[in-house]
Amino acid sequence: MSGYPRFRGKPIRPTDGMLRAAAGLFRLHGKVGELLPLERVLCAAFFKEPDRVPVAHFLLGAARRLTGISYREFSRQPEAAAEAYLAANEIIGGDVLYTVIDLSVEAADFGQEMVYPDTSTAHPDYRRPLIASVDDYGRLDPFDPRRAPRMGMCLRLAGILRRKAGLRYPVMGFIFGPLGVLSMMRGTQRLFVDCLRYPEKVKEALEVITEVLVEYARAFCDAGVDSVMLDTLFASRSGVSRELWVEMEGVYARRIAEEIRRQGVLVSLHNCGTRPYLDLQLEYIRPRLVSLADLPDDCSSLKELKEKYGRKTALAGMIPTEAFLLDTPRGIEQRAREQMRVLAPGGGYVLAPACEYPPNGDLVNALALVRAAEVHGRYPLKGG
Amino acid sequence: MSVEEDILEALAAAVRDGRDEEVEEKCLQALRAGVEPTEVVREGLCRGMRNAGELYERNEYFLPELLLASEAMHSGIRTLSPFLRRSETTAEGEAVVLGVVEGDVHEIGKNLVAVMLEAEGYRVIDLGFDVSPSTFTEALERSGARILALSTMMTTTLPVMRLTVELARKMRPRPIVVVGGAPLTPALAKDMGADGYGENAAGAPALLRSLSEGWV
């Protein structure tokens, strides 16, 4: 099947209860046979043990190297990006298809000037921020993301992946959080200071951005994705204080998450900051799956993370990205085994890097990550 | 506590709390009370910034608060600059060439390192972001600085950081090279040939002090 059946252009989706029941059936099936990636990830998301631990290798920019396209093509051509993502899962393995291009997609469509390097990630032209002064916060206008160049591209990418992969792989939409989008138009340093000095001005912009992102989330759901991942980077010690995050992003991100749930789609979350505020993000966003780079600010070990949050949300991430540059395949395999031993029992776990796989890193370590799940991540886990 | 000490303490508190206008006012008040401009910098502005760094280390401050304090410190330096002799503002401390490596535009961490070093009396030659390896080495040669501090937040720019470190290590006299940024670890810094790894901005002055001791 090339995606969910549709009625009046909208995908007809199973309810949360139906997904939960299906995950239970997949768990039984996984005991005797090989599951499809979508089935495997669904099991994990509903705290069931699938046939093996699912893997999300987070090969984004690195995927383009498998089909020989430049970063510029990857950043601007949905067909080329889709081909790269599909090649990543076919060649390397992996259980998730992404629609992430870079963190400037939304900001570019608000009018932020961009730089598109050939061998590195596209980014804003920081010398020419769209919001050059405090007064510019009030000058953002809402628009339809379906008709916008870069967000429209990601929506087309989601549609292509859904059509080409059918219901084999879960397709994940991706939205940078409102405060993150604003940082791309103002510069993080200026934005942080403005949050303290001119909070009401900043909120004017956040209102408009949230309005657009809610519509963007709806459009991803219409494109047939299985989940939409929100990135709330600044909810961490490397961002702003807990109180400031709630005021400046939590309340806005909640509106986006509610819209995703209203569309019957699973909410996921990514936070690659240090010591993230997981409790707050669960409260405001209620994600089904969370991908982290570091332990939350209230946990001191993976074991504590599993005990405290392992039944509240499925967990992913935390294999350090630099390890994929420095470590050997054996080393990656060992790290993966250690993490699976603690986090995988009982389901609710996806093996993944802390953040994007290093775009220019050796892909042999991505193969090692996938292999670790295939060889050592079979349920029931040995020594789990 | 004397009147002068009261003013300097209030100035340090204003810097710590990021109150620009009060910082400017207290700077002028300190000068009127007869405090030497260099002492206003050292005991008011720099002390306030150090206090902000300590609060950050204790998880009581976050990046926005630290940035606010750094802006307040700079507004104080602008207020005092007409009263400081050029030699007092630019040639007092040890020089450090600082920048974000080529291909990377993330500079918050680097900016905070700059202000923490300035607060400790270092003379920072900030080359900004997206800086080529040759620009770094030229700046070292031109300034005679013996410390090079490099930052990056991306994995894609680690190779150019490595190249910059290698070029710097070939210079004679060889500078002290320290690196920092999200994708770096002490092991990676060592592997690149750096002499030190800075985990965060607040710890940068102590790192440089420890490396400088005994460096020939």
Side-chain angles (χ1 to χ4, degrees):
Chain A
M1 190 187 285
S2 65
Y4 296 101
R6 288 176 176 264
F7 178 68
R8 291 183 178 167
K10 301 259 182 195
I12 305 170
R13 296 175 181 280
T15 62
D16 210 56
M18 288 159 75
L19 287 175
R20 187 181 301 278
L25 291 174
F26 294 146
R27 181 183 71 87
L28 292 174
H29 181 205
K31 288 180 183 298
V32 292
E34 187 86 359
L35 297 180
L36 291 174
L38 177 59
E39 297 167 344
R40 189 174 291 132
V41 174
L42 199 63
C43 266
F46 282 88
F47 310 107
K48 311 282 186 201
E49 291 188 344
D51 54 345
R52 66 158 170 83
V53 168
V55 192
H57 47 53
F58 236 145
L59 250 75
L60 308 179
R64 76 188 170 81
R65 288 155 53 206
L66 295 166
T67 54
I69 57 171
S70 69
Y71 239 116
R72 189 183 289 265
E73 289 165 319
F74 175 75
S75 305
R76 309 186 89 163
Q77 299 173 12
E79 295 80 8
E83 199 182 330
Y85 278 139
L86 289 166
N89 280 18
E90 284 160 15
I91 296 168
I92 305 287
D95 293 302
V96 179
L97 285 171
Y98 300 97
T99 59
V100 191
I101 297 297
D102 54 68
L103 294 180
S104 315
V105 164
E106 298 89 346
D109 285 343
F110 274 99
Q112 173 59 52
E113 291 199 41
M114 293 287 297
V115 177
Y116 293 95
D118 268 336
T119 56
S120 186
T121 317
H123 59 81
D125 183 346
Y126 288 109
R127 290 180 176 91
R128 286 186 286 183
L130 181 68
I131 298 176
S133 74
V134 172
D135 291 333
D136 292 339
Y137 283 114
R139 297 200 176 114
L140 293 183
D141 288 320
F143 57 88
D144 182 354
R146 294 172 183 82
R147 298 176 194 282
R150 300 209 74 211
M151 292 159 95
M153 178 202 150
C154 290
L155 295 171
R156 286 196 293 283
L157 170 60
I160 295 168
L161 291 174
R162 180 87 287 166
R163 273 198 310 281
K164 291 201 169 175
L167 291 178
R168 178 175 173 76
Y169 292 105
V171 176
M172 194 169 280
F174 182 88
I175 299 177
F176 201 16
L179 202 58
V181 173
L182 197 48
S183 74
M184 292 290 176
M185 300 189 270
R186 176 64 165 151
T188 309
Q189 185 166 332
R190 289 279 10 126
L191 175 64
F192 279 3
V193 171
D194 293 343
C195 282
L196 296 179
R197 282 215 175 111
Y198 314 102
E200 296 312 314
K201 295 268 187 190
V202 174
K203 286 177 191 172
E204 275 185 62
L206 288 171
E207 276 295 334
V208 175
I209 291 168
T210 302
E211 185 185 331
V212 173
L213 296 186
V214 165
E215 196 55 39
Y216 192 31
R218 202 177 290 140
F220 263 128
C221 298
D222 289 349
V225 300
D226 302 285
S227 176
V228 178
M229 180 174 263
L230 291 176
D231 183 340
T232 47
L233 169 66
F234 296 135
S236 64
R237 279 285 301 155
S238 46
V240 301
S241 67
R242 293 168 63 91
E243 298 75 19
L244 195 59
W245 181 75
V246 168
E247 185 184 351
M248 291 293 170
E249 187 162 69
V251 293
Y252 301 98
R254 175 157 59 191
R255 278 156 50 184
I256 302 165
E258 281 171 357
E259 181 58 34
I260 298 166
R261 269 191 293 277
R262 196 174 298 124
Q263 299 293 321
V265 172
L266 303 180
V267 177
S268 307
L269 182 78
H270 175 67
N271 187 310
C272 57
T274 52
R275 311 296 284 174
Y277 314 140
L278 184 53
D279 57 335
L280 279 185
Q281 290 170 95
L282 292 189
E283 182 186 340
Y284 279 83
I285 299 168
R286 292 169 49 214
R288 169 69 57 190
L289 182 141
V290 174
S291 149
L292 300 174
D294 194 13
L295 287 171
D297 66 335
D298 57 352
C299 292
S300 57
S301 66
L302 287 178
K303 185 168 177 284
E304 190 181 354
L305 169 67
K306 182 72 173 176
E307 285 168 2
K308 201 175 263 185
Y309 293 107
R311 300 302 294 178
K312 292 179 180 170
T313 183
L315 299 164
M318 283 176 297
I319 305 277
T321 46
E322 64 272 12
F324 293 95
L325 286 173
L326 291 176
D327 219 337
T328 59
R330 277 273 177 268
I332 295 293
E333 200 174 314
Q334 187 55 33
R335 285 172 188 269
R337 284 183 76 170
E338 283 165 19
Q339 201 179 94
M340 285 191 288
R341 184 178 58 76
V342 181
L343 295 179
Y349 173 66
V350 176
L351 179 63
C355 193
E356 178 183 5
Y357 192 90
N360 299 328
D362 191 337
L363 296 177
V364 73
N365 278 342
L367 284 166
L369 188 75
V370 174
R371 184 178 181 280
E374 287 174 346
V375 175
H376 307 292
R378 296 271 162 199
Y379 286 105
L381 294 166
K382 288 175 190 150
Chain B
M1 196 182 280
S2 69
V3 175
E4 293 83 353
E5 284 169 337
D6 273 346
I7 297 169
L8 291 174
E9 187 162 308
L11 174 57
V15 169
R16 182 196 64 207
D17 298 342
R19 299 191 300 264
D20 284 19
E21 287 177 11
E22 194 179 333
V23 166
E24 291 163 16
E25 182 192 316
K26 292 289 173 196
C27 282
L28 295 173
Q29 200 179 340
L31 293 176
R32 282 197 299 272
V35 184
E36 282 296 313
T38 48
E39 197 179 346
V40 181
V41 173
R42 199 171 50 243
E43 295 302 319
L45 301 179
C46 295
R47 179 151 59 114
M49 195 62 221
R50 271 199 306 278
N51 292 344
E54 286 159 9
L55 289 169
Y56 180 78
E57 293 270 276
R58 294 206 301 265
N59 293 346
E60 290 175 39
Y61 262 23
F62 294 79
L63 288 177
E65 291 80 3
L66 207 52
L67 290 165
L68 211 58
S70 104
E71 291 204 348
M73 176 174 140
H74 280 122
S75 71
I77 288 172
R78 277 195 302 276
T79 305
L80 293 172
S81 60
F83 305 96
L84 290 160
R85 289 193 301 276
R86 182 169 172 74
S87 61
E88 289 170 337
T89 55
T90 60
E92 192 176 341
E94 167 133 38
V96 179
V97 170
L98 172 71
V100 177
V101 301
E102 189 169 29
D104 194 345
V105 292
H106 301 89
E107 64 170 348
I108 288 188
K110 182 268 295 172
N111 290 347
L112 285 172
V113 167
V115 81
M116 295 312 296
L117 291 178
E118 283 168 356
E120 293 287 340
Y122 285 90
R123 179 166 65 93
V124 176
I125 300 161
D126 186 347
L127 302 181
F129 58 85
D130 193 13
V131 182
S132 70
S134 61
T135 306
F136 279 115
T137 52
E138 282 160 19
L140 283 165
E141 275 170 5
R142 213 173 32 248
S143 64
R146 60 168 196 154
I147 302 173
L148 174 64
L150 305 172
S151 167
T152 190
M153 290 295 284
M154 300 165 72
T155 55
T156 48
T157 46
L158 290 174
V160 78
M161 178 179 261
R162 182 183 290 273
L163 176 65
T164 310
V165 173
E166 283 168 6
L167 285 177
R169 284 176 63 93
K170 285 178 188 159
M171 294 177 74
R172 292 293 177 269
R174 181 167 96 64
I176 299 169
V177 184
V178 295
V179 294
L184 285 146
T185 62
L188 180 51
K190 193 175 172 192
D191 184 64
M192 279 183 179
D195 302 297
Y197 160 74
E199 190 179 350
N200 60 46
L207 173 70
L208 293 195
R209 265 197 308 276
S210 70
L211 289 170
S212 298
E213 282 168 15
W215 189 269
V216 181

